[in-house]
Amino acid sequence: MSLKCGIVGLPNVGKSTLFNCISSGKAQAANFPFCTIEPNIGSVTVPDERLLVLEKLAKPKKVVPATVEIVDIAGLVKGASKGEGLGNQFLANIRETDAIIHVIRCFEDPNVVHVDGTVDPLRDKEIIDTELQIKDLDTVESRIGKVFKQAQTGGDKNAKRLYEILVKYKEALERGKSARSVHIDNADDRNLAKELFLLTDKPVLYVCNVDENSAKDGNYFVERIREAIKGEDAHILIVAAKIESEIAELDSFEEREIFLNEMGLNESGVSRLIKSAYSLLNLETYFTAGPDEVRAWTFHKGTKAPQAAGIIHTDFEKGFIRAEVIKYEDYVKYGSENGCKEAGKMGVEGKEYVVQDGDIMHFRFNV
């Protein structure tokens, strides 16, 4: 499975700069390429140091990392949901994304003109929130009429439940609340709600774009955003896009490490952004490792072995027999699969095994 995120924000907040940094292979810790799918869509690898370690130990013919697809939306402006600016035509592109990366300007710079004249992160956040909410309200209202008729006839057993969900969303959106503020406990109802592809129902990572001096600890603007999102169950990340663009221009991994150390940072903001997106969606990684290939596979936290096998191929899940599991730490300690077997560190797990982050898996199946 591939994670897909949409980047939104007002014009001149550093959104495109950040996208360009992500799109540079140099911005990643591992030397894996970025590829452009469309002018505003790209696919970038997930930074994972464990892949590099497994590559050295297994010496495979190829290494396949997990990927994240990034959709760069044109800068939204007030009224975008009604066709103002360029944003409206791109809003559809993020309907099927897994999460939204909302870039907010948290820096002063007289040389970078703000679309509304002054720097006010809370105002900017509210503009984007409102535009997405209005778009969702349009979606909900158009669906309510159709679903209400289906619910009345009784021919569709899910129609009544979906109608009740839509009404809850409508009430929240009319109050200026995002769809994600509506709590739906029933798993079947959540699946129905997910099929609506509401923009404000998606998890949000707020990226505060700061000046160079605030790259490590943030600033007053960041604290205002942090306070504002306390009740949103959202994540926040501090990034200095200007610094990221400088990192992206450096040729070697060693140069980037030196640069980051001088800035007091452990890793680049781009790497932290992608990892944060994973965390936001409760995603983890297991590996397959052998002489032909070392590959990272993305799964939702709590996934059991048969479903994890199905990520590779549906036949693996249908005919699942067992999973042979080596913990990453043991693989590194004993140096190979055979070394782990000899040390008694390969576990044999059944259908109820919950896959853990970093597991090295080999599935046995029969179809």
Side-chain angles (χ1 to χ4, degrees):
M1 59 182 293
S2 177
L3 171 64
K4 189 173 184 179
C5 297
I7 301 182
V8 300
L10 292 174
N12 293 342
V13 298
K15 182 174 58 63
S16 294
T17 300
L18 191 60
F19 177 79
N20 290 336
C21 293
I22 294 172
S23 71
S24 170
K26 296 177 184 178
Q28 303 307 303
N31 187 26
F32 299 119
F34 165 94
C35 63
T36 300
I37 301 171
E38 293 179 17
N40 62 323
I41 302 177
S43 182
V44 65
T45 57
V46 177
D48 196 326
E49 294 78 7
R50 295 172 298 184
L51 266 181
L52 302 179
V53 175
L54 292 175
E55 181 182 15
K56 290 179 180 177
L57 295 173
K59 296 179 174 59
K61 295 176 183 176
K62 65 176 180 177
V63 177
V64 183
T67 60
V68 175
E69 193 169 284
I70 304 293
V71 183
D72 184 27
I73 310 303
L76 299 176
V77 295
K78 192 171 184 178
S81 59
K82 301 299 182 183
E84 294 295 326
L86 296 173
N88 186 50
Q89 61 185 298
F90 295 109
L91 281 173
N93 289 349
I94 58 173
R95 285 214 176 274
E96 296 186 19
T97 59
D98 301 294
I100 289 177
I101 299 169
H102 185 164
V103 182
I104 303 174
R105 177 171 171 172
C106 292
F107 66 91
E108 297 272 13
D109 188 342
N111 296 316
V112 181
V113 178
H114 192 286
V115 68
D116 284 322
T118 58
V119 177
D120 186 339
L122 291 186
R123 177 201 59 210
D124 295 354
K125 174 186 177 301
E126 289 172 2
I127 289 173
I128 298 297
D129 287 347
T130 299
E131 294 307 316
L132 298 182
Q133 289 164 7
I134 292 172
K135 199 69 176 176
D136 278 350
L137 186 57
D138 287 344
T139 300
V140 168
E141 288 178 336
S142 67
R143 287 295 301 274
I144 280 181
K146 298 175 185 176
V147 173
F148 179 68
K149 292 178 182 178
Q150 294 171 345
Q152 282 185 318
T153 59
D156 187 341
K157 63 180 181 179
N158 289 328
K160 186 175 184 298
R161 287 162 53 200
L162 180 56
Y163 175 76
E164 292 171 353
I165 293 169
L166 286 165
V167 169
K168 289 181 181 178
Y169 279 143
K170 184 175 185 293
E171 291 172 350
L173 292 164
E174 287 178 336
R175 294 198 311 269
K177 300 289 186 180
S178 293
R180 74 182 72 90
S181 67
V182 177
H183 296 289
I184 300 174
D185 297 323
N186 184 280
D188 291 334
D189 287 350
R190 284 199 301 272
N191 288 332
L192 285 174
K194 188 176 180 181
E195 292 174 4
L196 296 170
F197 297 110
L198 297 181
L199 301 174
T200 64
D201 195 34
K202 301 179 188 300
V204 176
L205 171 62
Y206 290 102
V207 176
C208 295
N209 183 18
V210 300
D211 59 272
E212 186 175 316
N213 294 329
S214 306
K216 184 178 179 182
D217 301 315
N219 55 29
Y220 165 71
F221 291 136
V222 174
E223 293 310 311
R224 291 183 68 196
I225 293 295
R226 200 187 301 278
E227 184 67 26
I229 69 169
K230 274 186 176 179
E232 288 194 31
D233 192 26
H235 291 204
I236 189 170
L237 185 70
I238 301 169
V239 170
K242 185 177 180 182
I243 291 178
E244 296 303 313
S245 65
E246 293 176 8
I247 293 173
E249 292 177 0
L250 298 175
D251 292 324
S252 70
F253 175 78
E254 290 73 19
E255 287 178 315
R256 296 193 294 276
E257 286 290 290
I258 293 171
F259 185 93
L260 287 168
N261 289 334
E262 289 176 350
M263 297 300 303
L265 302 172
N266 295 322
E267 60 181 331
S268 74
V270 168
S271 294
R272 288 186 289 114
L273 188 154
I274 297 171
K275 290 177 180 178
S276 294
Y278 252 53
S279 174
L280 180 68
L281 292 165
N282 288 319
L283 296 176
E284 295 181 328
T285 303
Y286 76 81
F287 303 98
T288 50
D292 290 327
E293 177 184 274
V294 167
R295 181 186 288 255
W297 302 90
T298 302
F299 67 96
H300 287 281
K301 188 175 183 179
T303 296
K304 293 184 178 180
Q307 289 70 48
I311 294 170
I312 298 177
H313 196 286
T314 53
D315 284 350
F316 283 30
E317 181 176 357
K318 291 176 184 176
F320 180 87
I321 299 173
R322 66 179 182 273
E324 296 171 352
V325 184
I326 299 173
K327 297 301 177 184
Y328 171 77
E329 294 76 11
D330 290 331
Y331 195 101
V332 173
K333 181 177 180 179
Y334 296 102
S336 67
E337 182 178 315
N338 287 333
C340 290
K341 285 181 180 178
E342 292 172 0
K345 293 297 183 179
M346 176 183 280
V348 178
E349 306 290 351
K351 293 182 178 180
E352 295 304 309
Y353 177 71
V354 178
V355 180
Q356 303 297 305
D357 184 54
D359 279 354
I360 297 165
M361 313 284 290
H362 183 76
F363 299 105
R364 300 291 183 181
F365 70 101
N366 183 32
V367 290

